[in-house]
Amino acid sequence: MKTNPFELTFGLKPDNYISRLKQSEEIISSFEEGTNHIFMITGVRGTGKTVLLTHVAEHFESKNDWMVINLISEADMLDQLASRLYDSSLKHRIFDNKTFGFSFQGISFSISGSKPVTNVVSLIEILLQKIQKKKKVLICVDEALNNQYMKPFAQTFQLLLRNRYPINLLMTGLYQNIYELQNNESLTFLYRAPKINLEPLSISSIAAKYKEVFNVDVDTSIKLANLTKGYAYAYQVLGYLLFEKGNVIVDDALLASYDQYLQEYVYIKTFRELSHNDQQVLLAFNSDEKTKVEYLIKTTKMNKKAFSVYRDRLIKRGILYSPSYGLLSLKLPRFYDYLKVIKE
C-alpha cells in the first residue's frame, strides 16, 4: 500500500509541499546579500509559517559557510543560544584548541582564551568571535512570543548586530504575537523588520498537485482545490482524506471529516483567541461568500468607526478579506459552517 503523501502534522514539511518561491527567495537573497538581517513570518494557523521557516533553514544548513541555530521562545533564549552556538561550533570544528573550561548556568564550555566570562552575553560574543572567521549564523525562532525571554534576547541580538557579527534572525508568529513584539517600546528595532504575511496558496498550484496525485481531469482538480480556498492546512487535510478514501468523490461523510479536522485543529482555538467583539463580527456573517459591511454593522449594532477597528484586525489576522468595496468574505474554507454550529 502506498504511503499517504499528505501531512496532517503541523510544522512538518509534506511530500507534496507547494513552494512559496517568491517569499523564500526574498528571505534567502536578503540574508545572503546582507540587505536585511531579520525577517518575520506571520499568518493564521495552518498557513505554512513553520514549513517556510524550515525550507529556508534547510537551504542554509546545506551551505558550508552557514550555521543554523534553532531556539524555542518559552525558555531562556540566551542560554539556548550560547549552548547551541557552542555545540554547533564543535560539530563544525570551529575551535582549533581547547585550553580552558568553565560552566555557566549549568552549561559546561571549553574554549581557547584567557578572558574571564561573567555573563551569557560575553560568552555569546566570545563564541561569535570564533565563528565569524568561518561561518555566518541564522537563528530561527518558531512561534515567537512577547514574553520575558524575548526582550533580553532581542536586545542582545540588536547589540550583536551593532557589533557587526554575521548573524541573522528568522521568526514566525501569529499576527497578534508579532504585533505585540513590534510594538514593544523596548524592541523598537523589530518594528522596522521586514514582515511577510502569508497569503493563500494559488488555487492553480493546488489543483496541479491534486491532478498529479489523483490522476484526475483539470475540472475535477480545480473543484477540489476550490474547497481549500488556498489554505495550506486544508490542502493537506483534503488530500489526506481523499487518499485514504481511495477516490475523489466528495460526499457528506468526507466533508464531515474535513470539517472535523479544520475545526478541532484550527478553528476552535482561533475563534477562542478572539475578543468578544471580533467574535460578534464573525457570527454576524450570513453567507460563506460575500456579506455586505452595511448588514454586518446593523447586525452587530456597532457604529462604523468601532466596526472598522474589528474589521481591520480580522483582516490582518488572516480571517477576513475584502473582495470589493462594501463587502467582506471569510478567508478560511468552510469556516462559515463552523460559525453556524456556534450560533445554533
Side-chain angles (χ1 to χ4, degrees):
M1 183 178 178
K2 291 183 179 179
T3 303
N4 197 317
F6 295 94
E7 179 60 65
L8 297 184
T9 306
F10 279 94
L12 291 181
K13 188 175 179 179
D15 292 338
N16 280 293
Y17 171 61
I18 295 177
S19 175
R20 293 183 180 271
L21 192 60
K22 180 182 176 183
Q23 291 92 340
S24 60
E25 285 187 347
E26 181 184 357
I27 297 169
I28 289 168
S29 62
S30 291
F31 286 162
E32 288 182 337
E33 295 167 9
T35 52
N36 285 304
H37 293 276
I38 306 173
F39 265 96
M40 308 176 88
I41 304 170
T42 187
V44 72
R45 280 186 177 81
T47 49
K49 300 183 297 296
T50 302
V51 175
L52 178 56
L53 179 143
T54 301
H55 179 73
V56 173
E58 287 176 347
H59 169 85
F60 285 106
E61 283 172 342
S62 69
K63 301 288 185 180
N64 292 328
D65 57 341
W66 281 81
M67 177 187 293
V68 178
I69 303 295
N70 293 291
L71 306 180
I72 59 174
S73 60
E74 295 190 85
D76 192 309
M77 298 174 72
L78 290 179
D79 279 6
Q80 291 179 67
L81 180 57
S83 176
R84 291 174 187 178
L85 281 173
Y86 179 75
D87 289 342
S88 189
S89 296
L90 292 179
K91 176 183 175 182
H92 292 282
R93 299 181 179 180
I94 300 295
F95 307 134
D96 295 326
N97 298 297
K98 293 190 283 185
T99 58
F100 75 89
F102 60 91
S103 178
F104 183 83
Q105 295 191 7
I107 307 170
S108 296
F109 299 89
S110 180
I111 308 174
S112 60
S114 57
K115 291 183 179 179
V117 177
T118 58
N119 61 73
V120 70
V121 176
S122 296
L123 174 55
I124 290 169
E125 288 207 79
I126 289 173
L127 292 166
L128 287 173
Q129 285 166 12
K130 302 284 185 181
I131 291 168
Q132 69 179 349
K133 297 175 183 178
K134 296 183 179 181
K135 294 185 181 287
K136 297 177 183 177
V137 177
L138 171 61
I139 301 169
C140 296
V141 182
D142 194 23
E143 294 299 340
L145 299 171
N146 183 29
N147 59 17
Q148 71 269 31
Y149 305 118
M150 181 58 70
K151 181 178 176 180
F153 166 76
Q155 290 176 332
T156 299
F157 183 84
Q158 186 179 21
L159 171 66
L160 297 171
L161 272 184
R162 288 204 313 267
N163 290 341
R164 299 192 177 280
Y165 289 108
I167 57 171
N168 301 271
L169 176 63
L170 180 59
M171 296 198 294
T172 74
L174 298 173
Y175 165 76
Q176 59 269 32
N177 294 331
I178 295 297
Y179 176 83
E180 289 175 4
L181 274 174
Q182 291 191 309
N183 287 274
N184 187 315
E185 290 183 0
S186 50
L187 304 177
T188 52
F189 82 103
L190 288 178
Y191 185 79
R192 300 185 295 275
K195 183 169 64 175
I196 291 178
N197 192 354
L198 291 188
E199 293 298 321
L201 299 168
S202 75
I203 294 298
S204 60
S205 295
I206 293 176
K209 286 290 185 180
Y210 283 158
K211 184 177 184 298
E212 176 188 343
V213 173
F214 298 115
N215 194 28
V216 294
D217 57 62
V218 173
D219 288 343
T220 301
S221 68
I222 291 174
K223 287 179 182 177
L224 294 174
N226 282 330
L227 275 174
T228 72
K229 286 190 174 181
Y231 179 46
Y233 185 61
Y235 155 60
Q236 294 295 330
V237 170
L238 183 60
Y240 181 90
L241 293 173
L242 290 171
F243 191 90
E244 292 296 304
K245 191 169 184 283
N247 61 57
V248 293
I249 298 173
V250 180
D251 53 23
D252 289 343
L254 183 131
L255 287 176
S257 296
Y258 185 46
D259 288 343
Q260 184 178 1
Y261 273 102
L262 294 176
Q263 292 175 22
E264 289 185 1
Y265 287 95
V266 182
Y267 296 170
I268 292 174
K269 188 170 182 61
T270 297
F271 188 79
R272 285 176 178 171
E273 289 174 343
L274 300 173
S275 72
H276 174 74
N277 285 340
D278 287 324
Q279 293 176 351
Q280 293 309 302
V281 170
L282 294 176
L283 292 171
F285 272 76
N286 64 355
S287 169
D288 191 33
E289 297 300 325
K290 302 172 184 176
T291 299
K292 291 183 177 180
V293 170
E294 181 182 2
Y295 171 83
L296 294 171
I297 291 174
K298 181 179 179 181
T299 305
T300 57
K301 298 179 181 179
M302 296 180 186
N303 59 50
K304 289 184 179 180
K305 185 176 180 181
F307 178 83
S308 66
V309 171
Y310 301 109
R311 175 201 62 199
D312 293 347
R313 195 158 64 186
L314 288 166
I315 288 174
K316 289 175 180 176
R317 284 176 180 254
I319 298 173
L320 297 182
Y321 73 100
S322 179
S324 57
Y325 181 77
L327 295 172
L328 285 172
S329 294
L330 297 164
K331 207 168 189 176
L332 302 173
R334 297 185 66 79
F335 192 54
Y336 180 65
D337 296 81
Y338 169 66
L339 295 174
K340 285 194 298 184
V341 171
I342 295 176
K343 285 191 282 189
E344 292 172 1

